[in-house]
Amino acid sequence: MSKAQDVSSQLWSMANELRGTMDASEYRNYILGFMFYRYLSEKQEKYLIDNDIFDQVEGKSINDLYRQDAVGDDLKDYLEDISGALGYAIAPEDTWTTLMEKIHDSKANAEDFQNIFDHFEENAQLNSFAEKDFRGVFADVNLNNSRLGNNLATRTKALIATAKMVNDFDYFDENGHDILGDVYEYLIKQFASNAGKKAGEFYTPHEVSKVLAKLVAANMDLNQESFSIYDPTMGSGSLLLTVRDEIPNGRQKGRVRFYGQELNTTTYNLARMNLMMHGVDYGNMTLRNADTLAMDWPDGLDQDGVDRPHFFDAVVANPPYSQKWDADSSKLKDPRFKDYGALAPKGKADYAFLLHSLYHLEQNGTMAIVLPHGVLFRGAAEGKIRKALLEKGQIDAIIGMPAGLFYSTGIPTIIMVLKKHRDNRDVLFIDASKGFEKGKNQNILRDQDIDKIIKTYKKRQDVDKYAHLSTMDEIKENEFNLNIPRYVDTFEEEPPIDIVALSKEMQDIDQKIAQSEAEFLSLVDDLDVNEHTQSTIDAIKAVFKHD
């Protein structure tokens, strides 16, 4: 177990004790919010040290010097300087260190918690370029929640206990690497697992994210100076971060630019925190809280009403499956959907998410999207869209995934890989549905399962019982139905039966049964016969009597 997993496990255990009757998904906002606040505060301290903002004084910490100097009219100057560099600023009386000193001195009260978040929100306005990245990021930390306690004193006690728990851990591994981001990620997974079906809205299992990330990275020109990645239903942002990890030097500042959109505000806040805690600079991320299908983004219509879409090197997505959406006929004029002859049905937005994602893909880019199995064979409007995609040569590969991988559903899913332009019209089918380890609550993709998928995708050759490279003619013969069993035959024939050996085995069994009967009846004959046992002995012999 890694240090990050160990710390996460301990935090999770402590959190379950502290949250009392509060639902885990609700308590999540406090523990993750506090972790992020600590991260920002310590990052600010590092900035003050690295830039020699204060002369070191023996016996005084950087927080002491900050509290001493940043007062009166000077406070505003300090905050503006810090905000200009980091995108946010925390006043000396609101730093994590100051808060913990108050807690240790038993001087902390509910007002201190309210102040740190209120003041952070005010200071977020100091940097107009970063305001949208930090404004409202702690909005889900509800300090007046009655489930924290039924009066101010108990709520304050609960907040102090949570803050102390977050503070008690050292978030560096044995090599001195910061693991706070990894701990945050593990906790998101724990909360997702605990939430069960509710978790589908914000978390894609890491193993599935790795498959998507490796598929899009397999097609990238890694010599490019920088890359842009987009997730139109980003959830907690973990999928975007996993793609970064597949790009050499992906953590280098400016190497990867992140774009994402999320409908759920709480989840959007999780994503902002998650990316920044994994070292993503606010200048390299453009995230938005909005409905991806209702109005196109990025960038949509400008002030002159001209559509200026943004295109990306890679698009990855795990949208909600078969969700309802506004499939008004006017959307047939929407540039995202107009070239495919039909709109996704109102009750199943799967192809709407797919077409939105494809629209924002660069001409030489690659996208990978998780979808329910039904998109491969459902007819009507979905059949028309599927046929159009195939005739344009935009479907590159279809991978059938094992059932039970997701927290939100047990239904089988597929990953579809698409490109805007390909020279061929063939489609690679991979049936990876049997490659997994069965888990207690959900199935797990192992490293060898992921490697097999990626190697097969790259080779693009038939593999017996696993993969098939289908021609367009073959797909036409199947009337554009892409159901994987039509292309990948996984049927395993039963081994031939040796009738002679089977007959001999049956004969041996009959002989053993006859011998056992004889031995048993011999024992019965030795029983003492009297008026009490006679009827029982006769009944036993009647059972074994052969006509």
Side-chain angles (χ1 to χ4, degrees):
M1 182 181 285
S2 69
K3 172 79 181 289
Q5 287 172 303
D6 184 41
V7 170
S8 307
S9 177
Q10 293 182 55
L11 271 170
W12 175 252
S13 176
M14 293 170 69
N16 277 323
E17 290 181 16
L18 286 176
R19 68 184 171 87
T21 57
M22 183 183 286
D23 187 82
S25 62
E26 194 173 12
Y27 189 66
R28 176 190 68 200
N29 298 330
Y30 297 92
I31 183 171
L32 298 183
F34 280 15
M35 285 178 68
F36 185 56
Y37 194 84
R38 175 183 170 179
Y39 165 79
L40 293 177
S41 189
E42 292 181 348
K43 184 178 178 181
Q44 177 175 293
E45 278 196 9
K46 187 173 186 306
Y47 167 78
L48 296 175
I49 294 169
D50 291 348
N51 290 277
D52 298 324
I53 304 297
F54 303 106
D55 294 328
Q56 296 287 334
V57 177
E58 189 173 349
K60 292 207 171 190
S61 69
I62 195 70
N63 195 62
D64 294 334
L65 297 171
Y66 185 36
R67 293 179 78 178
Q68 176 184 298
D69 283 16
V71 294
D73 294 338
D74 291 340
L75 174 60
K76 183 182 176 184
D77 293 337
Y78 277 109
L79 293 177
E80 287 181 346
D81 172 74
I82 295 167
S83 178
L86 302 179
Y88 66 91
I90 300 173
E93 292 306 313
D94 301 326
T95 64
W96 184 261
T97 302
T98 301
L99 176 67
M100 293 313 301
E101 286 175 359
K102 290 179 180 177
I103 289 174
H104 290 147
D105 294 340
S106 301
K107 294 179 179 177
N109 55 47
E111 189 179 3
D112 292 314
F113 290 93
Q114 192 67 57
N115 285 340
I116 64 173
F117 295 123
D118 287 350
H119 295 164
F120 185 90
E121 189 73 7
E122 291 170 14
N123 294 336
Q125 301 173 37
L126 294 174
N127 185 334
S128 58
F129 295 105
E131 182 181 357
K132 66 181 185 310
D133 297 308
F134 292 98
R135 189 182 59 222
V137 73
F138 295 110
D140 294 301
V141 185
N142 180 5
L143 302 177
N144 295 314
N145 190 338
S146 61
R147 282 184 288 281
L148 279 173
N150 53 15
N151 57 52
L152 185 61
T154 53
R155 286 198 293 275
T156 303
K157 186 178 177 183
L159 291 169
I160 288 174
T162 303
K164 288 175 70 174
M165 176 183 67
V166 169
N167 189 66
D168 281 347
F169 287 93
D170 174 19
Y171 297 103
F172 291 90
D173 67 12
E174 56 277 5
N175 297 315
H177 297 143
D178 188 346
I179 59 169
L180 187 56
D182 291 338
V183 171
Y184 187 90
E185 179 83 16
Y186 281 121
L187 283 174
I188 288 178
K189 181 180 178 181
Q190 288 276 26
F191 281 113
S193 175
N194 185 270
K197 289 189 175 182
K198 295 178 186 174
E201 67 185 32
F202 71 85
Y203 188 75
T204 301
H206 184 61
E207 295 77 15
V208 179
S209 294
K210 282 174 71 174
V211 176
L212 292 165
K214 288 177 181 293
L215 286 169
V216 297
N219 292 284
M220 285 180 173
D221 176 5
L222 298 178
N223 293 317
Q224 277 182 223
E225 189 174 331
S226 64
F227 299 88
S228 57
I229 311 167
Y230 174 46
D231 184 346
T233 55
M234 67 179 171
S236 64
S238 300
L239 186 45
L240 288 168
L241 291 167
T242 310
V243 176
R244 178 188 68 172
D245 291 341
E246 293 299 324
I247 297 174
N249 301 318
R251 291 175 184 251
Q252 183 179 307
K253 188 174 182 180
R255 176 78 163 155
V256 180
R257 286 169 284 122
F258 302 85
Y259 294 81
Q261 182 156 252
E262 171 56 44
L263 179 60
N264 183 295
T265 303
T266 297
T267 308
Y268 161 70
N269 290 335
L270 275 182
R272 288 195 286 176
M273 291 190 272
N274 196 16
L275 262 64
M276 284 191 264
M277 289 181 73
H278 280 88
V280 177
D281 187 88
Y282 75 90
N284 276 334
M285 67 181 209
T286 305
L287 309 183
R288 200 171 83 140
N289 177 205
D291 188 332
T292 287
L293 299 182
M295 185 177 292
D296 191 18
W297 180 85
D299 288 319
L301 303 181
D302 65 12
Q303 292 179 340
D304 300 322
V306 179
D307 183 37
R308 299 188 188 282
H310 200 128
F311 302 112
F312 305 96
D313 297 307
V315 180
V316 285
N318 178 23
Y321 308 141
S322 300
Q323 179 176 279
K324 292 180 181 177
W325 76 300
D326 175 23
D328 186 88
S329 59
S330 63
K331 281 200 164 48
L332 272 172
K333 296 179 181 177
D334 189 315
R336 297 174 293 173
F337 312 123
K338 68 182 180 62
D339 293 332
Y340 295 87
L343 291 173
K346 287 185 178 180
K348 292 182 174 61
D350 306 309
Y351 272 109
F353 282 114
L354 182 151
L355 294 180
H356 167 91
S357 304
L358 185 60
Y359 177 69
H360 286 285
L361 188 65
E362 282 280 9
Q363 294 296 317
N364 59 349
T366 304
M367 69 169 274
I369 183 171
V370 183
L371 295 165
H373 204 255
V375 300
L376 300 180
F377 51 80
R378 292 195 296 247
E382 292 178 287
K384 287 183 181 177
I385 297 170
R386 187 169 61 244
K387 182 181 176 185
L389 287 165
L390 288 163
E391 290 179 338
K392 290 172 183 288
Q394 293 175 329
I395 298 180
D396 184 49
I398 291 167
I399 302 162
M401 303 299 286
L405 292 178
F406 295 89
Y407 298 110
S408 56
T409 177
I411 67 169
T413 54
I414 59 129
I415 293 175
M416 194 179 289
V417 184
L418 299 105
K419 299 179 180 181
K420 272 188 173 171
H421 292 289
R422 295 191 309 137
D423 295 332
N424 298 317
R425 293 291 181 270
D426 55 15
V427 177
L428 178 67
F429 291 86
I430 299 176
D431 185 348
S433 61
K434 296 182 177 62
F436 65 93
E437 179 179 310
K438 191 161 183 60
K440 184 179 178 183
N441 298 318
Q442 63 178 127
N443 296 326
I444 302 165
L445 281 178
R446 299 160 297 188
D447 286 345
Q448 63 262 38
D449 303 319
I450 297 172
D451 290 344
K452 186 175 181 182
I453 291 171
I454 302 304
K455 284 179 182 175
T456 305
Y457 173 73
K458 288 180 176 176
K459 283 188 175 179
R460 213 168 174 79
Q461 295 174 352
D462 283 13
V463 178
D464 188 37
K465 310 293 183 189
Y466 188 72
H468 175 59
L469 185 61
S470 175
T471 64
M472 191 61 179
D473 288 341
E474 191 177 356
I475 291 169
K476 285 180 180 176
E477 286 174 13
N478 280 294
E479 300 177 330
F480 300 96
N481 183 322
L482 300 180
N483 201 16
I484 296 173
R486 291 182 178 231
Y487 302 91
V488 183
D489 180 9
T490 58
F491 178 74
E492 298 283 353
E493 288 189 4
E494 294 287 339
I497 298 173
D498 185 340
I499 297 295
V500 175
L502 181 62
S503 300
K504 177 73 169 55
E505 185 179 348
M506 292 173 65
Q507 191 177 43
D508 289 345
I509 292 171
D510 286 343
Q511 286 177 352
K512 288 178 181 176
I513 291 174
Q515 183 179 350
S516 297
E517 275 187 28
E519 290 173 358
F520 178 69
L521 290 173
S522 175
L523 292 172
V524 171
D525 286 339
D526 291 341
L527 292 174
D528 181 30
V529 179
N530 56 47
E531 59 180 330
H532 301 295
T533 61
Q534 182 64 60
S535 61
T536 302
I537 292 171
D538 291 344
I540 293 172
K541 289 183 175 180
V543 170
F544 289 97
K545 184 178 180 182
H546 299 286
D547 292 331

